[in-house]
Amino acid sequence: MGAVIAVATLKGGSGKSTVAGCLAVHWQLQGRTPALLDADPQRSLLRLAERERRLGGVAVSAPTGGPLGEEARRLAAAQGLAIVDTPGFENEQTRAAIAAADLVILPVKASPLDVDVMGDTMETLFRLRGGERPGFRCLLTQTTRDSVIARHVRGELAAAGFPLLRAELTSRVIYAEAALFGATPSLLQPRGAAAAEIAALAAELDALLPTLGAAPARKRR
Amino acid sequence: MSRKLPQVTRRTLDDIARDAGASEEERVAAPEPPPAGAPEPSSADSIAAPDVRRVQALALVDRFTAWSAIGGAVPLPLLDLASIAALQVQLVRRLAALYERPFSGEAVRGTLLAASAAALSAGGGNLAGMLLARSLPWGQLLNMWVSSGLAAATTQAIGRAYVLHFESGGTALDLDPATLAEHYRRALAERGSAEKGRA
């Protein structure tokens, strides 16, 4: 057993691959063995893993062509945790990843267009049921620190009943710089502000996963 | 900055759930383990394709397996057996709902009981030993560890057996206890091999 986290939204550019990669690298640095399953046809994570820092040695793979959900669960069972980066549109792979997940993270930027599409993603998530549905949380990404718009969007989403993570990933140059090295902020500037935000997000998810019935990610032996 | 910003979204979470046809129960963001006897959500408008449904089913089995492991670690013999049995029946109930098959708690309890008896009589020495060890004072700690794994293994075996059965068109009312007992035996044998490998 192990947990499957799907990072999904039907809109491109919302930070799915960044969220998936940053979480996996953070947990790897913590001594765990997360697996990244790159189901996004852009293959951003696989491309990063080919660069100098190789995403800190995280195991990244592309779907083998079999049922994606089963593959994700097999990886989770073997590695303790599988994180699936999904396509930025609705297709069979997106649906399979959502169906297999213990937790779906929906990254959303503080913009009305992103919020609208997040609603569409949730509609897909609600329809993909039949007795069982994964837990899900929205995550504000690429926000401007201490901005009125970020606070406004957070307040509005909370008031409308959307389950938001407390953690937030603010827009920082370090993400682009780290990508040049095939790294994430946790690898390049482990004491930096971006790494601290990623750590806060990971800690929040660590506390959340067991409440969803998912086994906590295990440490390397 | 003090200007009033316009609304970001006109749809609330409830609006979206309603648009998608989800029931009230399904709007909960993070579902807790279901209580025994909880009503099943409707799946009439489910858009789950067969592959997606199988994955949902196996994910459900994984979740109940994890809960069973916790239930098995409770050091109270009757309480843990009762809670695990309730979880296993509830798992079959949820799988039956997922596959839109008729369900009867009584029939499933009967099948599980018959399968357990068959597995015990045909080489369930490990299980019998574990039950005996419960009565020994020094056995409690060891027992928590063993019974937790055993509970997880049997729940997983039940889940997988019913998924296979439903996939092939069966219902919760007609699974042969002998088939289920075979799944038990395989699960216990796998667990035994895993323990030997670890030792």
Side-chain angles (χ1 to χ4, degrees):
Chain A
M1 289 172 295
V4 174
I5 297 176
V7 189
T9 163
L10 305 182
K11 188 173 186 308
S14 54
K16 284 187 301 295
S17 302
T18 302
V19 170
C22 286
L23 282 172
V25 169
H26 172 85
W27 277 319
Q28 178 90 3
L29 290 170
Q30 297 285 306
R32 303 186 196 178
T33 55
L36 270 175
L37 187 54
D38 189 356
D40 184 347
Q42 292 183 23
R43 299 286 185 257
S44 306
L45 292 169
L46 281 163
R47 289 173 204 268
L48 284 176
E50 288 170 358
R51 288 178 170 264
E52 189 182 335
R53 299 293 297 269
R54 299 183 173 278
L55 284 177
V58 170
V60 190
S61 59
T64 54
L68 180 73
E70 289 180 24
E71 196 169 344
R73 296 222 67 89
R74 268 199 306 274
L75 276 173
Q79 306 282 116
L81 178 68
I83 304 170
V84 189
D85 185 21
T86 62
F89 49 87
E90 184 170 348
N91 68 359
E92 189 57 34
Q93 293 207 316
T94 304
R95 288 194 289 269
I98 288 175
D102 297 293
L103 172 68
V104 180
I105 300 175
L106 296 97
V108 58
K109 289 196 288 189
S111 94
L113 296 179
D114 280 68
V115 170
D116 269 0
V117 178
M118 181 191 76
D120 297 343
T121 312
M122 279 186 184
E123 211 171 310
T124 298
L125 193 146
F126 276 120
R127 282 190 172 133
L128 268 174
R129 63 188 208 282
E132 180 62 16
R133 189 174 55 74
F136 65 95
R137 292 291 186 273
C138 308
L139 170 69
L140 279 172
T141 58
Q142 302 172 53
T143 53
T144 304
R145 193 156 51 102
D146 297 330
S147 65
V148 171
I149 178 72
R151 283 201 301 275
H152 177 66
V153 170
R154 177 174 282 279
E156 287 254 322
L157 290 179
F162 295 101
L164 271 168
L165 289 164
R166 283 191 307 278
E168 189 171 314
L169 299 185
T170 52
S171 183
R172 295 177 191 276
V173 176
I174 183 69
Y175 285 99
E177 286 178 358
L180 288 173
F181 294 94
T184 68
S186 308
L187 273 171
L188 226 54
Q189 285 184 1
R191 292 171 194 273
E197 287 178 353
I198 294 163
L201 170 62
E204 198 173 345
L205 297 178
D206 271 333
L208 181 62
L209 279 171
T211 70
L212 303 175
R218 59 172 174 263
K219 295 219 168 193
R220 279 194 295 266
R221 288 184 180 175
Chain B
M1 186 192 245
S2 61
R3 72 171 180 272
K4 171 92 175 140
L5 293 172
Q7 236 180 335
V8 177
T9 176
R10 289 187 170 78
R11 290 205 294 175
T12 66
L13 184 65
D14 280 348
D15 294 335
I16 292 169
R18 201 171 303 116
D19 290 348
S23 69
E24 188 70 40
E25 181 180 324
E26 290 165 325
R27 290 175 207 167
V28 181
E32 295 295 323
E40 292 306 323
S42 159
S43 57
D45 53 354
S46 168
I47 59 167
D51 276 353
V52 169
R53 189 167 59 182
R54 187 167 61 249
V55 169
Q56 286 176 320
L58 293 174
L60 195 58
V61 172
D62 279 357
R63 250 161 258 153
F64 273 78
T65 301
W67 293 329
S68 295
I70 296 167
V74 174
L76 299 170
L78 290 178
L79 185 64
D80 72 349
L81 287 177
S83 66
I84 292 161
L87 266 174
Q88 291 171 341
V89 173
Q90 184 67 357
L91 168 60
V92 179
R93 179 196 294 270
R94 298 284 291 270
L95 289 172
L98 183 61
Y99 283 91
E100 300 175 0
R101 302 285 197 276
F103 172 85
S104 155
E106 203 175 326
V108 170
R109 273 188 290 275
T111 304
L112 298 188
L113 201 62
S116 303
L120 263 176
S121 64
N126 288 343
L127 183 59
M130 185 275 289
L131 291 171
L132 184 68
R134 282 183 177 287
S135 58
L136 301 173
W138 52 264
Q140 280 297 338
L141 272 178
L142 173 72
N143 212 23
M144 279 170 63
W145 178 72
V146 171
S147 62
S148 173
L150 206 58
T154 51
T155 301
Q156 192 174 48
I158 290 167
R160 287 180 178 175
Y162 272 97
V163 169
L164 283 175
H165 185 61
F166 291 150
E167 288 275 335
S168 61
T171 76
L173 312 176
D174 60 9
L175 177 61
D176 181 6
T179 305
L180 183 54
E182 185 51 41
H183 280 269
Y184 274 157
R185 278 194 288 273
R186 213 175 301 146
L188 292 174
E190 277 173 19
R191 180 170 163 72
S193 307
E195 293 306 332
K196 275 179 198 161
R198 205 171 292 160

